[in-house]
Amino acid sequence: MKLQGVNDFVIRFANVNGSGSASANALFAKSVFRLGVPVSPKNIFPSNIQGLPTWYEVRINEKGNLGRRGGYDVVVAMNGQTLKKDYEDLAPGGYFMYDSARQLPADFARDDITLIDMPLTQICNREFEDPKLRQLLKNIVYVGALAHLFDMEFSILTDSILSQYKKKPKLGEPNIKALELGFEYAAAHFQDTCQLKVKRSNTLTRHILMDGNTATALGALYGGATVAGWYPITPSTSVVEAFDRFTGQYRKDESGKKKVAILQAEDELTALGIALGASWNGARAFTATSGPGISLMNEFLGLAYFAEIPVVLIDVQRTGPSTGMPTRTQQSDILLCAYASHGDTRHVLLFPCDPKECFDMTADAFDLAERLQTPVIIMSDLDLGMNDHICLPPEWDDARTYDRGKVLDGNQLESLTEKWGRYLDKDGDGICYRTIPGTHPKLGSYFTRGSSHDEFAAYTEDSDTYQRIMLRLGKKWQTAKGLVPKPEIQISDAGSGYGAVFFGTSTQASREALETLRSQGIIINTMRLRGFPFQDEVREFIDRHNTVFVIEQNRDGQMRTLLINECAIRPDKLVSVTHFDGLPITAGHISASIQQILKPQTQKGGAQ
Amino acid sequence: MSSPRPGFRHPDLPKNDLGYTRRDYEGAASTLCAGCGHDSISNAIINACFELSLEPSGIAKMSGIGCSSKTPAYFLGKSHGFNSVHGRMPSIATGANMANRDLVYIGVSGDGDTASIGMGQFVHIVRRNLNMVYIVMNNGCYGLTKGQDSATADRGSAGKKGRPNPFESIDLCELAIALGAGFVARGFSGDKEQLVPLLKAAIGHRGFALVDVISPCVTFNNTAASTKSYQWVRDHMEATATFDFIPPRKEITTQYEKGTTQSVTLHDGGVVHLHKCDESIDVTRRRCAIDALEQHREKGRLLTGILHINETLKDTHEILETTETRLNTLMEKDLCPGNRVLQDMMENYR
């Protein structure tokens, strides 16, 4: 039986890296989005520029479930290297589109799927002169064919091409032609072949389709960042590239000079050093990196913690350890970031779950870092940063001002009645008053150092003084609890003994999985973590349940460890649900894992 | 633990153009070994800044880790300072300079801090041509860990432990010239007459200015077999030229005989007049400067003075085309495009 349905399926494009497929596949996803249908594209790509297999998986789901579902119902198989596997893994009842220039080998003998043989090479060779264009337009031809198969409004696709090539309409023409060729061929040969459809919906209204790194860069633009040091590393590179683009457009003075300094550094050490030096000197500064960069930045994170220098650090996490899988996703830098560097250190973490939060949290991070005079790390990941996600548009309150924290200006320094001390806690919140170099001709200078210092920033090896400073930093950590975003808690059933904790890109799949379990009578309350340090609410949520599932994308249950450690939780109360194969977590994996865990319990006494 | 110096001062102490005395440029009392070359360099920095009438609050002191990097506590007590981590001062200085292009940045590093752990950052700050004075207090050894050879120790040179260094040394000046630095000089902590004007000229230069100062470690590397000892340096140093540094806004009164003197105008308006003793050394030419260093090295001589100068290079801000306004003074209205722009932008994502 053929799979059928409207606005609910997964299509996978199997391509060769560097063959121009990315823009064609994105055109398909964007067209679904423009029909108002919730869509979630995931680019599964190799750490390579040309020649290796790459996949683009698009989930279309009217109900708005946008995590990865797992499996696929349609495949556009354009890569000979993976053809067999792409064929075998297709869901029963699914549709297999391929380029009929080459016949399928004899062992492709499934009888539970529908073959769609498109003569893509033949069409392109016949219709286009330029051999390079022939290759690229094959991808557009299959998009045109899909539009017919799924019964999509064709004008959505052509309009997308027209707007994409607004400035170069000459380049748009062959693309439109290719779309039409594909559509017409499918209309002539595959009438009524496919029973999966994409129909215009009004589910999406104001939404945008954006990748997290772009949103993060916008957050830095709006948050007032003026200095960025960086070192190229997948998957964070596009944060600074986007920041460069945005500042090129919106940060020019009257003479065309830039109100920003972006420096590509020689390594991640320097990248963070540049951000720290600039922050110390009163500019808002940041760097973006991934796990391997964080490993190198440990040294400077310790300095920033101890010398109390604000800085914003974007960690777009990828699959570790070591070089790991550079182009695959994970949430596996949690412990590394929470306690980065030697000695007693702790760092503020923020966990965005969609591009809007990337924007909000990045802009907020600059306020938070300057208020707390410490590093703030945005824990994004490859899935969030590099894939497009549907979300509400970010908004900016024009009345908002930047919180520069406790910085003394010249007049304030002059009006002080007591001796100023850089590390003197006047307000009892653990946060001291700082000065920016050059503020006053005679007052407010001090010597910043990573060595032990007293309240007046003088070097000390006095044990009491050292302990006093360390304890005061502990007090500042308590203050941070009141400033970082609170968890989002949803109590569906006050009597349920089950809770689930998730964060970041595990959110969508977790919600869908818990919805599935709910339909089976298993009610689980939820808490989405948004920041570290953890507030009392986090502890209370865990306390009110007998068993709490901690859903995350790493092997060792790092967030579970952090919760146990920071909230003094009995370890057996927190049960790990992990997913760490490098691909985004799926709802199916989560619901199956929880069912598995609950099995012995339900046999004993039934689900609560 | 460093302690402040006594606060009294004689009313007749000479004052500079800003009305400050030399005392206004001093820092806390040094905790280095008695006779350490580094203290002489600190004093030379104090003299240079005093004589140039720099506003102390307009200077930022940057350093890494090591004996050398402690010294910023001992000079310019009214300036902000940043004692960062080992070998990483260049990156901190880069960021600081990006935030505020108007301060004078004086970086202090050592031979371990620069030529070993900080080599990566050093070569790249030269490439970026960051506007700063980068002083290496070069004693050829690791003092704080008790005298191990550093990467600038000459092959065959031996410190207190007596074992000759078996490895080739790194000449930071030659390296900096090769990397395109616009101002490279070498001084000796025991020669204040040369060092103070070298530092003044370095401050006047816009862009990266390296001043490598041979600074004997009296405790671990001042032996008869060391090429970084007071005695050896005194016996073997030669200068590219004697020179006069005329600060900006000072009238030039001396007349020099044609042909013997080369004049270079610095970015701040100051002028360096080089009186060459050796006609073959043209320090404005990079290749010639490297040749001169190599020739002296082959002869077993230490070449000092201004080794290379080029006033035509763009500094980091000019390369990046940043605004003349200090970035750390920009406010919301300068930086944030506002909600309307944001909402317009969102149309690109629909």
Side-chain angles (χ1 to χ4, degrees), chain B residues 107-328:
Chain B
V108 174
S109 181
D111 36 309
D113 198 58
T114 293
S116 287
I117 193 168
M119 188 53 114
Q121 298 213 342
F122 174 71
V123 299
H124 289 279
I125 199 172
V126 177
R127 287 184 60 229
R128 283 194 288 270
N129 198 25
L130 192 81
N131 185 20
M132 77 175 298
V133 178
Y134 190 109
I135 299 165
V136 180
M137 297 187 175
N138 186 350
N139 59 14
C141 73
Y142 287 81
L144 272 179
T145 51
K146 306 202 171 178
Q148 297 80 6
D149 292 327
S150 81
T152 64
D154 288 313
R155 187 146 53 85
S157 176
K160 197 178 168 191
K161 288 187 178 124
R163 198 173 51 228
N165 167 41
F167 300 109
E168 205 42 69
S169 71
I170 293 171
D171 184 332
L172 291 169
C173 292
E174 202 175 316
L175 182 67
I177 296 168
L179 291 166
F183 186 102
V184 178
R186 178 174 285 143
F188 171 43
S189 66
D191 186 352
K192 199 165 78 175
E193 302 307 313
Q194 184 197 45
L195 183 55
V196 174
L198 277 182
L199 290 171
K200 287 188 195 170
I203 291 168
H205 172 79
R206 181 160 70 186
F208 189 78
L210 172 69
V211 184
D212 179 32
V213 189
I214 309 302
S215 174
C217 174
V218 288
T219 307
F220 297 109
N221 202 13
N222 195 29
T223 61
S226 167
T227 59
K228 296 277 193 291
S229 68
Y230 279 110
Q231 196 57 50
W232 195 94
V233 177
R234 277 198 190 106
D235 292 346
H236 295 80
M237 74 184 273
E238 264 176 38
T240 52
T242 55
F243 70 96
D244 295 324
F245 170 72
I246 314 295
R249 297 176 300 277
K250 282 271 189 313
E251 204 185 334
I252 299 169
T253 49
T254 327
Q255 290 291 315
Y256 299 107
E257 206 180 310
K258 245 190 165 164
T260 60
T261 300
Q262 192 178 10
S263 301
V264 180
T265 305
L266 301 175
H267 237 288
D268 69 349
V271 182
V272 173
H273 298 286
L274 296 146
H275 319 294
K276 295 187 279 187
C277 39
D278 181 348
E279 284 297 315
S280 71
I281 304 178
D282 179 355
V283 297
T284 62
R285 288 167 52 217
R286 186 159 135 180
R287 225 169 101 180
C288 187
I290 290 179
D291 279 350
L293 277 168
E294 281 293 315
Q295 280 156 10
H296 281 74
R297 194 174 64 87
E298 282 165 14
K299 286 189 289 183
R301 308 296 293 178
L302 180 72
L303 192 62
T304 63
I306 294 178
L307 303 175
H308 179 53
I309 185 164
N310 178 356
E311 286 300 298
T312 66
L313 303 171
K314 286 181 175 179
D315 83 344
T316 318
H317 279 288
E318 290 170 307
I319 295 166
L320 295 181
E321 297 177 340
T322 44
T323 181
E324 299 296 328
T325 317
R326 291 157 36 192
L327 292 178
N328 69 351

Side-chain angles (χ1 to χ4, degrees), chain A residues 34 206 209 222 251 253 257-260 266 270 274 278 281 299 394 396 398 402 435 438 444-446 448, chain B residues 57 77 80-81 83 88 95-96 105 121 124 128 321-324 328 332 334-335 338-339 342-343 349-350:
Chain A
R34 284 180 174 158
R206 305 171 48 228
L209 185 65
Y222 275 75
R251 286 278 188 81
D253 68 11
K257 290 190 168 174
K258 293 174 197 156
K259 292 185 276 187
V260 71
E266 57 272 23
T270 297
I274 288 170
N281 218 354
E299 181 185 53
W396 187 261
D398 287 325
Y402 299 147
T435 58
S445 69
Y446 73 102
T448 305
Chain B
S57 64
H80 272 70
N83 179 200
R88 318 292 180 228
Y105 292 91
Q121 298 213 342
H124 289 279
R128 283 194 288 270
E321 297 177 340
T322 44
T323 181
E324 299 296 328
N328 69 351
E332 290 85 351
D334 308 303
L335 301 174
N339 191 46
L342 185 64
Q343 297 317 315
Y349 301 94
R350 289 201 169 103

Side-chain angles (χ1 to χ4, degrees), chain A residues 406 418-419 421 423-433:
Chain A
K406 298 185 188 179
E418 289 171 61
K419 189 182 172 193
Y423 300 107
L424 204 54
D425 182 9
K426 295 298 284 181
D427 302 327
D429 57 2
I431 306 169
C432 310
Y433 288 82

Side-chain angles (χ1 to χ4, degrees), chain A residues 30 33-34 205-211 214 218 221-227 245-246 250-251 253 255-267 269-283 299-300 303 307 309 359 393-398 400-404 420 435-451 454 458-461, chain B residues 1-2 20 24 55-63 65 69-73 76-101 103 105 117 120-125 127-128 130 316-350:
Chain A
K30 187 112 189 193
F33 166 74
R34 284 180 174 158
T205 48
R206 305 171 48 228
H207 292 76
I208 56 165
L209 185 65
M210 183 188 266
D211 66 80
T214 299
L218 271 177
L221 174 75
Y222 275 75
T226 52
V227 178
R245 227 170 33 243
F246 289 133
Y250 299 105
R251 286 278 188 81
D253 68 11
S255 59
K257 290 190 168 174
K258 293 174 197 156
K259 292 185 276 187
V260 71
I262 304 172
L263 267 175
Q264 183 182 324
E266 57 272 23
D267 55 31
L269 304 172
T270 297
L272 183 55
I274 288 170
L276 278 180
S279 287
W280 171 80
N281 218 354
E299 181 185 53
F300 265 142
L303 173 72
I309 303 163
F359 175 88
E395 279 164 28
W396 187 261
D397 174 2
D398 287 325
R400 174 172 173 172
T401 54
Y402 299 147
D403 177 6
R404 306 304 311 262
W420 169 74
T435 58
I436 307 300
T439 297
H440 191 278
K442 293 202 165 61
L443 302 171
S445 69
Y446 73 102
F447 200 52
T448 305
R449 55 175 103 231
S451 46
D454 67 12
Y459 181 78
T460 183
E461 291 172 7
Chain B
M1 167 130 190
S2 53
Y20 292 125
D24 292 311
E55 186 66 69
S57 64
I59 305 170
K61 307 171 289 182
M62 322 300 291
S63 68
I65 291 290
S69 295
K70 289 176 156 206
T71 62
L76 298 171
K78 291 192 172 65
S79 307
H80 272 70
F82 196 149
N83 179 200
S84 67
V85 283
H86 205 12
R88 318 292 180 228
M89 177 266 278
S91 61
I92 296 285
T94 301
N97 189 307
M98 290 303 98
N100 181 354
R101 61 190 300 168
L103 297 180
Y105 292 91
I117 193 168
Q121 298 213 342
F122 174 71
V123 299
H124 289 279
I125 199 172
R127 287 184 60 229
R128 283 194 288 270
L130 192 81
T316 318
H317 279 288
E318 290 170 307
I319 295 166
L320 295 181
E321 297 177 340
T322 44
T323 181
E324 299 296 328
T325 317
R326 291 157 36 192
L327 292 178
N328 69 351
T329 61
L330 299 178
M331 310 288 283
E332 290 85 351
K333 63 175 172 40
D334 308 303
L335 301 174
C336 183
N339 191 46
R340 238 182 88 180
V341 168
L342 185 64
Q343 297 317 315
D344 286 349
M345 230 189 281
M346 287 309 113
E347 285 311 311
N348 299 329
Y349 301 94
R350 289 201 169 103

Side-chain angles (χ1 to χ4, degrees), chain A residues 484-499:
Chain A
V484 303
K486 294 203 164 172
E488 201 177 80
I489 292 173
Q490 212 177 327
I491 305 293
S492 307
D493 176 0
S496 171
Y498 295 123

